[in-house]
């Protein structure tokens, strides 16, 4: 792709939610979050294919996406799941463009292809009927989870079910045969012996990359009640893709990795609700983090792992205890990430005792209030730098009180 074409595509990502391209671009973001390798080149091909076909017809957009965004069989199943969650079931009617105050939340962005939609001469039907409306899924990506109604939460749950964040990888001590890499002396000598001492090609090997363990500590106290369900569904999605241990923290520390092993997210949430006794209670972050480190973390679970704390940082106990335990955790873990839903509020400053004490031991401090924020969190877990909407990198200590 040329530099001018790439710049044009990246510029279209900046369209507002009401722009006609925002629906398709938000759909590609959801595909990336589900694990589909939808590169910028594939995005550009997708947009060109939709422009050639009928942009407002569901079947044409579906076919264009399958042909341009999917790179293999594994992508097809994820594509179908995300398409159904993002655009809704087939057969939906087209919502007319309504302009009322305040700004409307429009519904379906695509319509099903009617019979005989093309004219006899093959020309396109006039107008761009539905794609000019922003999809509710794209609007929903940036909405605060704590302010969603029941219907919006159901749609958010469908999008989170299609979510498949990838974790980091690490080099293990094991090696495998490879075309490039260090010389494998044993295999090379065996090959020489097999040939009777005649010269042979050097055999090489390379270190194997394995997924790095991820540990999620999810706050289920009363102050985190509006966000706990979405964050636990994010944990369920993460556990499907990478070795993950999940704990809930409130007044008790509960290991819920086994409950989240159910493939169906609703069954997993039901099992988790029965296993966690301290929903909507208080918060004892310092004491529970000490318990986690003494029972699991110090013995190996946190060593070299990416540890993610999803909490607002409210601490009923001694903040100094939390600061001490965070320093212990930081010494063990490969990376410590803190996702705070309150961080997205205008004028937020981490002045709460627990948050202020923990931040010096946090590598990356990000938001966790919306689906878009969880997508950025997944990128941070994968190893990318955390970037806020304004484009500034969020590094350790950048927001210390």
């Amino acid at each position: 792709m040329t530099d001018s074409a790439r710049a044009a595509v990246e510029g279209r990502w900046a369209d507002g939610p009401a722009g006609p391209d925002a629906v398709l671009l938000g759909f590609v973001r959801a595909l990336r979050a589900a694990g589909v390798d939808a590169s910028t080149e594939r995005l550009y091909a997708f947009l060109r294919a939709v422009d050639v076909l009928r942009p407002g017809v569901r079947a044409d957009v579906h076919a264009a996406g399958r042909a341009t965004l999917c790179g293999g069989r594994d992508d097809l199943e994820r594509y179908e799941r995300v398409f159904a969650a993002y655009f809704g079931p087939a057969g939906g009617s087209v919502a007319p463009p309504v302009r009322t105050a305040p700004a409307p939340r429009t519904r379906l962005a695509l319509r099903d292809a009617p019979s005989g939609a093309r004219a006899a001469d093959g020309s396109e039907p006039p107008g761009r009927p539905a794609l000019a409306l922003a999809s509710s899924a794209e609007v929903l990506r940036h909405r605060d989870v704590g302010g969603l109604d029941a219907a919006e939460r159901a749609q958010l749950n469908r999008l989170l079910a299609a979510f498949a964040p990838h974790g980091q990888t690490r080099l293990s001590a094991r090696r495998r045969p490879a075309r490039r890499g260090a010389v494998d002396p044993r295999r090379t000598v065996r090959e020489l012996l097999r040939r009777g001492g005649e010269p042979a090609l050097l055999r090489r090997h390379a270190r194997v990359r394995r997924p790095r363990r991820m540990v999620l500590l999810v706050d289920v106290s009363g102050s985190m009640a509006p966000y706990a369900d979405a964050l636990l569904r994010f944990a369920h999605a993460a556990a499907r893709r990478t070795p993950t241990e999940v704990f809930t923290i409130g007044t008790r520390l509960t290991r819920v990795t086994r409950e989240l092993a159910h493939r169906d997210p609703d069954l997993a949430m039901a099992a988790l609700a029965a296993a966690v006794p301290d929903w909507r209670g208080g918060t004892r972050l310092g004491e529970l983090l000490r318990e986690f480190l003494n029972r699991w973390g110090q013995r190996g679970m946190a060593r070299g792992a990416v540890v993610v704390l999803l909490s607002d940082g409210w601490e009923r106990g001694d903040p100094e205890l939390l600061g001490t335990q965070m320093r212990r955790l930081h010494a063990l873990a490969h990376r410590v990430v803190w996702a705070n839903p309150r961080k997205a509020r205008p004028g937020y400053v981490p002045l709460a005792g627990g948050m202020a004490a923990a931040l010096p031991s946090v590598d990356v401090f990000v938001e966790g209030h919306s689906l878009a924020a969880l997508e950025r969190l997944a990128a941070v877990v994968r190893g990318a730098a955390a970037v806020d909407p304004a484009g500034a990198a969020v590094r350790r200590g950048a927001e210390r009180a």
Side-chain angles (χ1 to χ4, degrees):
M1 179 186 294
T2 64
D3 294 339
S4 59
R6 184 184 298 274
V9 172
E10 296 299 334
R12 295 173 78 169
W13 281 85
D15 290 346
D21 290 333
V23 178
L24 300 178
L25 299 176
F27 171 57
V28 174
R29 292 191 190 101
L31 284 176
R32 289 177 175 176
V36 177
D37 185 17
S39 62
T40 305
E41 287 77 9
R42 290 183 180 178
L43 166 62
Y44 181 60
F46 173 54
L47 295 177
R48 287 195 304 173
V50 171
D51 286 339
V52 171
L53 298 173
R54 293 168 291 180
V57 176
R58 177 191 179 91
D60 285 11
V61 175
H62 178 268
R66 278 180 63 100
T68 57
L69 298 174
C70 298
R73 290 186 177 182
D74 293 340
D75 290 343
L76 294 177
E77 180 182 356
R78 299 169 191 161
Y79 178 86
E80 297 294 343
R81 186 167 64 246
V82 174
F83 192 91
Y86 194 85
F87 292 115
S93 60
V94 181
V98 179
R99 296 293 179 184
T100 58
R105 295 202 307 267
T106 53
R107 179 59 184 133
L108 197 62
L110 301 179
R111 59 182 173 87
D112 294 325
S115 58
R118 292 179 181 268
D121 59 356
S123 61
E124 297 288 342
R128 191 180 175 110
L131 200 56
L133 301 177
S135 170
S136 60
E138 174 60 18
V139 176
L140 187 64
R141 287 183 65 255
H142 302 279
R143 291 281 307 282
D144 192 301
V145 173
L148 301 182
D149 57 30
E152 291 168 335
R153 282 188 175 274
Q155 188 178 10
L156 175 68
N157 292 343
R158 290 195 297 271
L159 291 171
L160 285 172
F163 204 62
H166 292 267
Q168 286 190 27
T169 58
R170 61 177 179 85
L171 288 174
S172 69
R174 293 182 177 273
R175 297 179 181 269
R176 59 173 177 79
R179 292 184 177 181
R180 298 179 180 179
V183 175
D184 187 343
R186 293 186 178 182
R187 292 179 61 238
T188 301
V189 170
R190 284 198 298 266
E191 183 66 17
L192 286 171
L193 293 175
R194 189 177 70 84
R195 293 174 175 267
E198 293 294 330
L201 292 176
L202 294 177
R203 302 300 178 180
R204 300 180 180 276
H205 58 187
R207 295 175 66 180
V208 177
R209 298 199 71 88
R210 296 188 180 277
R212 187 180 296 277
R213 183 188 299 110
M214 181 163 55
V215 180
L216 300 178
L217 304 174
V218 185
D219 191 343
V220 295
S221 62
S223 61
M224 286 289 293
Y227 304 96
D229 183 76
L231 296 178
L232 287 169
R233 287 177 183 270
F234 170 82
H236 176 264
R240 298 200 310 262
R241 301 290 301 179
T242 189
T244 304
E245 293 287 344
V246 184
F247 294 81
T248 61
I249 51 178
T251 58
R252 300 184 183 183
L253 179 70
T254 307
R255 187 180 184 181
V256 293
T257 306
R258 180 177 299 178
E259 285 73 16
L260 292 180
H262 291 283
R263 292 181 61 88
D264 185 274
D266 293 327
L267 291 178
M269 291 301 106
L272 189 145
V276 177
D278 55 338
W279 287 98
R280 299 174 181 268
T283 312
R284 297 187 300 132
L285 294 177
E287 296 179 26
L288 298 183
L289 187 56
R290 179 175 59 186
E291 180 182 349
F292 164 74
L293 291 172
N294 291 342
R295 293 183 61 184
W296 289 286
Q298 197 78 38
R299 297 182 179 183
M301 184 178 291
R303 292 183 184 275
V306 177
V307 181
V308 183
L309 295 98
L310 301 108
S311 172
D312 56 4
W314 288 101
E315 171 64 296
R316 293 180 60 182
D318 184 7
E320 290 298 326
L321 175 61
L322 177 59
T324 301
Q325 301 309 313
M326 286 296 297
R327 287 190 290 272
R328 287 181 61 195
L329 176 63
H330 190 265
L332 289 172
H334 172 74
R335 203 177 195 192
V336 178
V337 181
W338 194 301
N340 188 337
R342 311 292 179 184
K343 182 178 182 295
R345 296 185 176 180
Y348 171 80
V349 179
L351 295 178
M355 198 73 256
L359 268 183
S361 301
V362 174
D363 293 305
V364 186
F365 184 40
V366 297
E367 302 169 355
H369 68 295
S370 66
L371 180 60
L374 293 179
E375 291 174 0
R376 290 193 291 271
L377 172 60
V380 169
V381 170
R382 193 168 57 246
V387 178
D388 63 18
V394 181
R395 294 294 185 179
R396 180 175 21 152
E399 295 193 42
R400 295 179 193 176

